[in-house]
Every structure is written in C-alpha cells, then in structure tokens.
C-alpha cells in the first residue's frame, strides 16, 4: 500500500528562525485544514513544528495519523542517517516522520551545521552508503517513506542502480518560470490575466498549475491571509488554454545551489554538474 501525500502542504523554513512565529503559523494552518508540514534539520524549525503539532494532538484538534510530516537529512549526516533521523524525531517529539528525504546530493563534514558550506566543508559523496542508511531508517520504522530532494533525473537514475527501495519523492523547486522567484511569477502578465479571468489571485493560479501537474505542493507563508489564499487554490479549475499559456513561460531556477559548486573539494565543478544540465 502506497503513501498518500496531501496535495498541499506548509513549509516551515524561516530566515530569522522565530520559533514562536513558526508555532503560531502552524497552529493557524491546522485550524484552516492543513495537515501536511515540511521541515528539515537545517531549517531549525523542527522543535517549533513539533511543539505546535504536539499541542494540537493533545488538544484533540487532530490525530497523529491524520498528519503528514516531512523532514530532511542534512549533508553533514550522510555518514549516519539513522542517528540524524533519531535526533529529528527528538526535536519533533514524534515516534516517526511520514517522509524522510536526502536534502541535497552533497556530503559535508560531520560538524558542518550551516546552510552555506565553505570550500573545506565537503566530503566525497557516497550515495550508495547514504541510501543504505536511509533504507535502514525505513526498516526501523523511523519513517514511513524515503526520498530525495534537489536531485536531477540523472542522479535519480544513478541511485536506482543500487537502491533496494525506490525513492518515493523528489522534492524540487517547481513553479511557472521555475525559479525566477515566486514574486516574479505572480507579477507575470500571463499569470495575472488568467487570475483576472477566473477572479482569483495570481498566487492561486501558480499553485493550481503545480497541482495540475500531479505534484504535491509545499507553500511557505506564516501570514494568515496568505495561508487561506493558498488553500483556495484547491477550488480553482484552470482551462486547458490557461495551462498552454503558462507552459510558454521561461523556466529558470531560483535555488540553484551555487554554494555546492567549487573547483577544489565539491563533486560538482559547475552548476551544470550539479543539475546535469536541468537548469
């Protein structure tokens, strides 16, 4: 039996890592019907998310089985995914996560705990060992599914050469213009004209486009009105013509991961190496 992933989720990354703001936003989202929450060890939001979800469960607002929680393995923990996930579960106050992802195809030295690694922070990537550790997490019941994040199609194909468990998810940046920035997307005249036609917001059009691709979308906002607006995308029906117009928009990535590229220590000497030309 496969995992059912709620089609819209809330991301919990925050630049200032304000734990109270994160907790309040998660509580608001739960009341609006969100049940899918995305975090990562490197985000620093696992404890706040866990606190908010724990309170909601103890107050009877939602059952743990109704939640879908995703976290991610940071590069400095590739040597021991089981220990890393156990720490994540302690942070969350949970017995398991629903999905555990390899955050990037990058292995860092064990003490590297910042999101922008320096040149001397890299170690040789050994995805076969990393993935064996991820499979062990699954075997031990610490998670219900395992997958990857920010992997190119070619890197997934390479992973399939030795994986006993096929990755259930590849979480990647996905929106019209793929990485110009969401602000640029919603200000695009094509998106705005479609929004005007359907009497909805440009953000709802962009999110509905993602859903029309069969993707589960993660949206990040701690603002109450935006959280409501994002959920409203579920009620929008785009026409075939709308999709065709959106498909004409230029694709560019925002989160390209340039900080994982260097000539000396990284396995990726160019941005094309990192993405296998999928940029």
């Amino acid at each position: 039996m496969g995992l059912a992933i709620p089609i819209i989720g809330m991301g919990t990354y925050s630049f200032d890592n304000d734990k109270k703001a994160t907790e309040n936003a998660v509580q608001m989202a739960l009341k609006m019907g969100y049940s899918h929450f995305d975090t990562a060890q490197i985000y620093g939001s696992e404890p706040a998310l866990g606190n908010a979800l724990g309170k909601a469960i103890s107050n009877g607002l939602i059952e743990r089985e109704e939640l879908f929680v995703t976290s991610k393995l940071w590069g400095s923990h590739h040597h021991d995914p089981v220990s890393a996930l156990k720490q994540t579960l302690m942070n969350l106050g949970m017995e398991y996560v629903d999905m555990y992802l390899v955050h990037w195809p990058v292995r860092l030295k064990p003490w590297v705990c910042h999101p922008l690694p320096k040149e001397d922070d890299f170690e040789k990537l050994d995805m076969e060992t990393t993935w064996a550790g991820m499979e062990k997490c699954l075997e031990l019941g610490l998670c219900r599914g395992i997958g990857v994040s920010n992997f190119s199609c070619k890197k997934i194909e390479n992973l399939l050469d030795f994986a006993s468990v096929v990755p259930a998810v590849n979480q990647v940046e996905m929106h019209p213009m793929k990485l110009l920035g969401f602000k640029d997307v919603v200000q695009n005249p094509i998106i705005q004209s479609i929004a005007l036609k359907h009497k909805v917001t440009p953000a709802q059009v962009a999110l509905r486009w993602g859903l029309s691709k069969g993707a589960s979308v993660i949206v990040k906002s701690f603002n109450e009105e935006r959280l409501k607006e994002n959920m409203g995308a579920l009620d929008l029906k785009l026409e075939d013509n709308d999709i065709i117009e959106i498909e004409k928009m230029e694709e560019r990535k925002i989160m390209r991961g340039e900080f994982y590229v260097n000539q000396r220590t990284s396995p990726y000497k160019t941005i094309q190496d990192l993405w296998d030309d999928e940029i």
Side-chain angles (χ1 to χ4, degrees), residues 3 39 46 64 68-72 85 88-89 92 94-101 138 141-145:
L3 275 176
T39 184
E46 289 174 338
R64 172 62 185 94
F68 194 97
V69 178
T70 296
S71 194
K72 308 179 192 79
L85 181 47
T88 279
L89 295 175
L92 289 166
M94 292 180 172
E95 293 182 358
Y96 66 91
V97 292
D98 298 277
M99 189 64 64
Y100 196 46
L101 309 178
L138 189 62
L142 304 176
C143 55
R144 296 174 61 221

Side-chain angles (χ1 to χ4, degrees), residues 188-230:
N188 184 278
I190 293 173
I191 297 292
Q192 291 195 337
S193 67
I194 294 170
L196 192 62
K197 179 173 75 172
H198 291 285
K199 297 183 172 58
V200 296
T201 67
Q204 287 171 329
V205 171
L207 289 174
R208 185 72 248 186
W209 171 84
L211 295 170
S212 76
K213 294 296 179 183
S216 171
V217 298
I218 303 293
V219 291
K220 192 268 155 186
S221 177
F222 287 2
N223 176 278
E224 186 172 3
E225 288 308 309
R226 291 267 174 80
L227 285 166
K228 286 180 185 173
E229 179 185 341
N230 292 337

Side-chain angles (χ1 to χ4, degrees), residues 47-106:
L49 174 61
N51 283 343
L53 297 181
K55 286 177 185 174
I57 292 168
S58 63
N59 291 337
L61 184 63
I62 197 165
E63 299 288 331
R64 172 62 185 94
E65 294 73 25
E66 297 174 282
L67 292 168
F68 194 97
V69 178
T70 296
S71 194
K72 308 179 192 79
L73 176 81
W74 185 236
S76 55
H77 299 295
H78 275 230
H79 61 288
D80 192 356
V82 170
S83 293
L85 181 47
K86 285 180 176 177
Q87 181 59 56
T88 279
L89 295 175
M90 284 182 63
N91 292 343
L92 289 166
M94 292 180 172
E95 293 182 358
Y96 66 91
V97 292
D98 298 277
M99 189 64 64
Y100 196 46
L101 309 178
V102 179
H103 206 151
W104 285 86
V106 174

